[in-house]
Amino acid sequence: MNMTVQDNPMPPGSPNTPSRELGKEYLEDIALKSRPVISIRFRLFLAFLVIFAFSMIVALWSIYALSGIQAKILFLEAAGDYLAEIQQARRFEKNFLLYGTNLEDSMQHLQTAEEILQKNKNTIEKILGRNSIRGMSLQLSNYHKVLEKVGEAGDTDERNRYEPELREYGGQLVSDATNFVEKEREAVEGALSLSRRVPFYFLGILMVLIIVITSFLVKNILSTLNRFLEYTNRIGEGDFSPILPKRKYRDEFSQLGLAFNHMIRELDKRHKILIESHKLRAVGTLVAGVAHELNNPLNNTMLTAGLLEEDFGRLPDEEKLDLVRDIIKETDRSKVIVRHLLDFARASEYKIVAMDLEKLLEGSIRLVHNRVKLAKIDLQIKLTPDLPPVHGDEQALQQVFINLILNAVDALPPKGKIAITDSKSSQGGFIEIKITDNGAGIPEHILPRIFDPFFTTKVKEKGTGLGLSVSQGIVRRLGGNITVESRVGMGTTFTVLLPTTEVPSSVSAAADS
Amino acid sequence: MNRNLRIMVIDDENIVGKRLKPALEKDGDIVEAFTDARKALERFSEQQFDIVVSDIRMDDIDGLEVLEQVLARSEKTKVIIITGYATVEVAQEALVKGAFDFIAKPFKPNDLRSIIDKAAKELDK
C-alpha cells in the first residue's frame, strides 16, 4: 500500500483538521488571489526556453552555413573544371597554330566548358551577376566562332590574321575564369572563417543572455524575499495588518503571502485572547481589590456600630460621639474607594480640546506643589519651547500627570529628584512626556502588573492601587499610551505618549465609544 | 463570666483593635491589640496567649505566617483568621495549616465572640 497523506484527507471535524475554513474567503486574500498567475516555475521555464531557442537558432544557422559551404566547394570544383577546360582549349589552340595539330580537341574542351557554364548558370549568376555571365558566354561564343574561322582558314596567313583576335578572346576567357575561381575561393574562405568565428560570438551572447536573465530572476525573487523578511519583522513587532499584493501577478510567493495572512489571523486571534485573559485577570484583581478595600472600612464601620449598639445605654456621650465619628470617617473612606472605582470605569464624556502642554504641566505641578515641597523633592521641568498642542480633556490629563508626579514623590526619599522632559515620538503625530525619578526603581517581577487596578506597593490608606490604571485608561482613551521603564537602584521613567493636534481647533468628541 | 483568657488581636487597621479590645474585655478576658504583626510576634515570645485573632492580609507579615509562627511557639494556642473576603481557598489553606476557625469581614463583635467561645471550650478540654 503506497498512500500519501494528501491522498487520505482527514474527516471534517476531526481534532487535527486545520482551523482554516474551506470555502471561506478573507477580504485581504481576494486581492492576492485575483492576480494573474506567473509562477516562478513558469519564469524559470521561460528563461531556459529563451536560452534554448537562442541555441537552436545558432545550431540551425550552423547547419545552413555548412550546407552553403558544401555547395560552394562543389561549385568551386565546377569552376576549377571550367578553368581547366578553357586552359586545355587554349593549349590545343596554340598547338594547332604552332604545329598544325588537331583543332577538334580544342573545340571539344570548349564544348565541355560551355556545358559547365550552362549547368551552373544560376549559381554563377548569383555570384557574379547577370551581366558577367552574359559576358562570359558571349566571350566563349566569340572565341568559339573565331576558332571555327581559324579552323576553316586555308593558309597560315589567314590564320595569322585571326591570331590577335583569338589571343584577345582566349586571354580574356582565361582571366575571367581565373578571376571567377579566385572569387569563389575567397567566398569559401570567408564562409569558413565566419563559421569559425560564430561559435565565439554565440558563446559571448549566450553568456550575456544568461547573466541578464539570471540577474533579473534573482533580483525578482530576492526583492520578494526581502519583502517577506520585512513582513516577519513587522509581524514580530505586533503589527497584524494583512499582506496586500505589491505585484501585478501572483506566484509561489503569493501562496506564501496567503499562508502569512492565515498566520497573522491566527496570531491576531490568539493575541486578542491573550489580551482578553489579561483583562479578565485585571477584572479579577479589581474585584478582589474592591472586596478587600471596601471590606476594611465596612468592617471598621460594622465593628464600631456593633459596639455602639451593645453599649448604647452605658457609654458616655463623648465616647458615643467618638464611635459615630469613626463610623462617618470609615464611611467616607468607602466613598473615596467607590469614587476612584467610578473614575476607573468612567464612561462620561470628555471635553476634548487642543491644549498647551506647558500650561497643562505647570498647572499640574502647581496643584502638587505643596506635597512636593513637604517631601523635600527637587522637581524640575525642562520642556522644548513651542511644543505642539496636544488634544485631550484638561482635567483628565491633569489627573494623569498629578498621579504620576505623586507616585514619584511617594517613591522617593527626601532630596530625591523628579525631572519632567519631553521628546518627539518616533511615531508621527505624537509627543512623549517623560517623568523620571531617581528612586529605588520597580522590581522587574512586579513591573508588568503596575497598571493593573488595585495593584499597589504603597502602605494602607496611602493608595488605592487605582491611580496608574485610571491614568492609563484616560491616556488610552485619548489615543495615547503610558509606558514604564525602571531599573532597580537607578530610578523609574514613566512615558506618556499623547497625540498632538496639528490644527489648534476645539475638537469635541465623545470618549469611550 | 470570668475566663481570664489571654487574647491577642492583630490587624493593620487601627480601628479593629481599638474596638475589639473593649468589646472582648467585657467577657473578662485580657486583650492586647497590635497593628504590626512583627511587634505582635515579639510580644508573643514574651507572653503566651490562649487565642490569637489575626487579619490575613497585612503588608509585612501576613496572617498565614502569623499562624505558623504562633503554632510553632505554642501548639495549644487557638488562632482565628480574619479574612478580607471569604474565599474558600484561603480559608482552606488556613484550616490546613492549623487555624482554629476563620471569620470574614465585615463582622460584628458578637460574631467573633461566638467563635472565641467555641475556642474557649476547646481550650478547657
Side-chain angles (χ1 to χ4, degrees):
Chain A
M1 201 97 148
N2 193 6
M3 231 181 178
T4 59
V5 181
Q6 279 109 330
D7 291 339
N8 188 12
M10 263 177 268
S14 81
N16 290 328
T17 309
S19 60
R20 183 188 300 201
E21 287 161 65
L22 286 171
K24 188 169 176 184
E25 285 267 8
Y26 290 95
L27 206 63
E28 65 265 24
D29 289 350
I30 291 172
L32 272 175
K33 280 180 180 166
S34 65
R35 295 290 194 274
V37 180
I38 306 175
S39 66
I40 296 174
R41 184 201 298 248
F42 177 70
R43 269 177 278 162
L44 282 175
F45 174 72
L46 207 67
F48 284 112
L49 194 71
V50 167
I51 291 171
F52 174 76
F54 177 68
S55 306
M56 202 171 74
I57 288 168
V58 172
L60 286 176
W61 180 85
S62 297
I63 292 167
Y64 170 76
L66 277 177
S67 65
I69 289 168
Q70 195 187 18
K72 274 195 172 75
I73 288 169
L74 284 176
F75 180 66
L76 191 61
E77 270 170 26
D81 287 349
Y82 174 69
L83 180 63
E85 292 300 331
I86 301 271
Q87 279 167 341
Q88 205 68 0
R90 288 229 59 195
R91 198 175 302 134
F92 281 114
E93 171 228 306
K94 275 188 191 122
N95 285 350
F96 172 71
L97 287 177
L98 289 175
Y99 314 114
T101 51
N102 199 1
L103 195 63
E104 215 34 49
D105 285 335
S106 177
M107 295 288 198
Q108 197 77 47
H109 284 293
L110 219 52
Q111 190 70 37
T112 318
E114 220 156 26
E115 274 164 20
I116 292 171
L117 200 66
Q118 283 306 318
K119 212 168 116 190
N120 295 292
K121 198 179 156 190
N122 285 337
T123 321
I124 296 167
E125 202 178 296
K126 245 185 246 164
I127 297 164
L128 296 173
R130 191 178 287 270
N131 286 341
S132 295
I133 186 141
R134 204 172 287 158
M136 270 168 87
S137 47
L138 194 71
Q139 272 164 10
L140 204 63
S141 68
N142 282 346
Y143 179 66
H144 203 167
K145 275 176 200 154
V146 178
L147 210 60
E148 269 171 4
K149 278 178 193 163
V150 171
E152 280 161 13
D155 53 10
T156 324
D157 283 347
E158 209 181 345
R159 274 183 226 163
N160 287 349
R161 245 192 306 131
Y162 287 116
E163 209 185 319
E165 215 177 336
L166 202 62
R167 202 166 285 164
E168 193 202 325
Y169 289 133
Q172 193 65 41
L173 261 183
V174 170
S175 86
D176 272 1
T178 314
N179 188 25
F180 172 49
V181 167
E182 205 50 50
K183 221 171 187 175
E184 197 48 26
R185 185 169 292 136
E186 270 170 24
V188 170
E189 262 166 22
L192 275 173
S193 107
L194 182 67
S195 42
R196 260 197 306 272
R197 284 194 313 266
V198 160
F200 293 101
Y201 296 151
F202 164 67
L203 282 178
I205 294 170
L206 191 66
M207 185 82 145
V208 171
L209 200 66
I210 287 172
I211 288 170
V212 167
I213 289 175
T214 309
S215 67
F216 172 75
L217 280 178
V218 165
K219 214 177 98 186
N220 210 289
I221 290 169
L222 275 189
S223 71
T224 318
L225 265 181
N226 281 333
R227 205 147 53 81
F228 273 87
L229 198 70
E230 278 165 30
Y231 289 148
T232 50
N233 284 336
R234 194 193 77 187
I235 295 163
E237 281 159 12
D239 177 357
F240 293 148
S241 52
I243 290 171
L244 294 173
K246 289 271 189 300
R247 302 172 307 185
K248 289 191 168 63
Y249 55 91
R250 74 182 163 118
D251 59 14
E252 287 81 348
F253 279 115
S254 309
Q255 292 302 114
L256 192 61
L258 290 175
F260 262 62
N261 278 347
H262 176 65
M263 180 185 77
I264 288 169
R265 277 192 296 274
E266 290 296 310
L267 276 177
D268 196 24
K269 208 156 73 188
R270 275 164 181 69
H271 187 70
K272 276 180 184 146
I273 291 169
L274 207 69
I275 288 174
E276 210 51 49
S277 70
H278 189 79
K279 266 189 202 154
L280 277 178
R281 204 181 69 185
V283 170
T285 316
L286 184 86
V287 170
V290 170
H292 187 81
E293 287 295 317
L294 273 179
N295 260 337
N296 276 331
L298 274 180
N299 187 50
N300 292 343
T301 312
M302 199 162 191
L303 278 177
T304 313
L307 207 67
L308 188 63
E309 186 192 23
E310 276 176 23
D311 300 338
F312 195 79
R314 276 166 292 175
L315 284 174
D317 281 356
E318 193 58 41
E319 255 178 72
K320 275 191 219 165
L321 207 60
D322 185 41
L323 288 171
V324 171
R325 277 191 192 123
D326 262 0
I327 291 171
I328 292 171
K329 202 182 91 193
E330 290 303 311
T331 315
D332 213 38
R333 209 176 128 195
S334 310
K335 191 181 85 183
V336 171
I337 293 166
V338 171
R339 205 189 60 217
H340 279 179
L341 193 67
L342 284 179
D343 277 348
F344 178 71
R346 191 165 124 178
S348 63
E349 276 194 8
Y350 279 176
K351 201 176 146 219
I352 296 188
V353 290
M355 275 175 308
D356 184 345
L357 250 180
E358 205 172 336
K359 272 189 196 155
L360 180 82
L361 284 167
E362 276 166 3
S364 309
I365 289 168
R366 213 173 304 126
L367 287 169
V368 296
H369 177 72
N370 259 342
R371 281 280 302 279
V372 174
K373 211 171 139 191
L374 270 174
K376 297 190 172 65
I377 303 291
D378 176 21
L379 173 63
Q380 294 209 344
I381 172 164
K382 271 181 235 152
L383 296 179
T384 322
D386 296 325
L387 285 175
V390 295
H391 63 261
D393 178 78
E394 189 175 358
Q395 260 192 322
L397 277 182
Q398 221 162 42
Q399 193 186 339
V400 169
F401 287 116
I402 288 171
N403 251 322
L404 292 175
I405 294 168
L406 288 184
N407 271 348
V409 169
D410 287 337
L412 282 174
K415 290 188 179 163
K417 278 182 187 166
I418 301 174
I420 302 177
T421 53
D422 68 276
S423 67
K424 251 198 167 155
S425 170
S426 53
Q427 277 175 274
F430 284 88
I431 191 162
E432 289 177 352
I433 304 294
K434 288 180 187 290
I435 293 155
T436 308
D437 69 55
N438 65 345
I442 304 168
E444 210 173 320
H445 66 280
I446 64 169
L447 210 54
R449 295 193 60 206
I450 61 166
F451 290 107
D452 286 354
F454 287 108
F455 180 81
T456 181
T457 57
K458 295 179 187 176
V459 286
K460 282 265 150 59
E461 287 162 51
K462 221 175 170 185
T464 54
L466 280 171
L468 274 179
S469 56
V470 169
S471 301
Q472 179 70 287
I474 289 168
V475 174
R476 285 238 172 113
R477 220 172 293 167
L478 294 174
N481 196 13
I482 303 179
T483 53
V484 61
E485 277 171 83
S486 188
R487 282 177 68 190
V488 173
M490 304 287 284
T492 306
T493 299
F494 280 93
T495 304
V496 183
L497 186 74
L498 285 173
T500 55
T501 316
E502 302 308 332
V503 187
S505 66
S506 154
V507 188
S508 193
D512 206 350
S513 45
Chain B
M1 202 151 87
N2 203 354
R3 293 183 297 197
N4 280 326
L5 289 175
R6 278 194 172 272
I7 302 176
M8 176 183 264
V9 176
I10 313 169
D11 196 314
D12 55 0
E13 290 279 328
N14 181 37
I15 288 185
V16 175
K18 187 171 138 195
R19 297 300 168 213
L20 281 181
K21 188 173 153 69
L24 298 178
E25 276 174 347
K26 280 196 277 180
D27 299 326
D29 299 324
I30 303 144
V31 181
E32 285 184 41
F34 296 86
T35 52
D36 186 340
R38 200 173 291 280
K39 280 187 184 140
L41 287 172
E42 272 168 28
R43 172 73 183 136
F44 198 90
S45 306
E46 303 162 9
Q47 172 68 56
Q48 285 261 323
F49 284 81
D50 301 305
I51 292 168
V52 172
V53 181
S54 174
D55 191 12
I56 194 153
R57 198 163 133 172
M58 291 178 291
D59 277 331
D60 199 8
I61 300 174
D62 72 3
L64 290 177
E65 206 179 326
V66 169
L67 169 69
E68 277 170 26
Q69 296 215 17
V70 164
L71 290 183
R73 284 168 211 185
S74 163
E75 230 175 280
K76 66 177 185 58
T77 300
K78 303 292 172 203
V79 180
I80 299 161
I81 296 292
I82 306 172
T83 61
Y85 43 102
T87 59
V88 182
E89 292 84 8
V90 179
Q92 260 175 357
E93 197 187 344
L95 292 179
V96 165
K97 283 189 172 165
F100 175 71
D101 206 345
F102 63 91
I103 183 165
K105 280 182 183 179
F107 58 89
K108 282 185 185 170
N110 267 339
D111 300 332
L112 183 60
R113 267 191 205 111
S114 62
I115 294 176
I116 288 176
D117 287 345
K118 269 200 293 178
K121 272 177 203 155
E122 280 283 313
L123 282 168
D124 284 342
K125 276 180 190 170

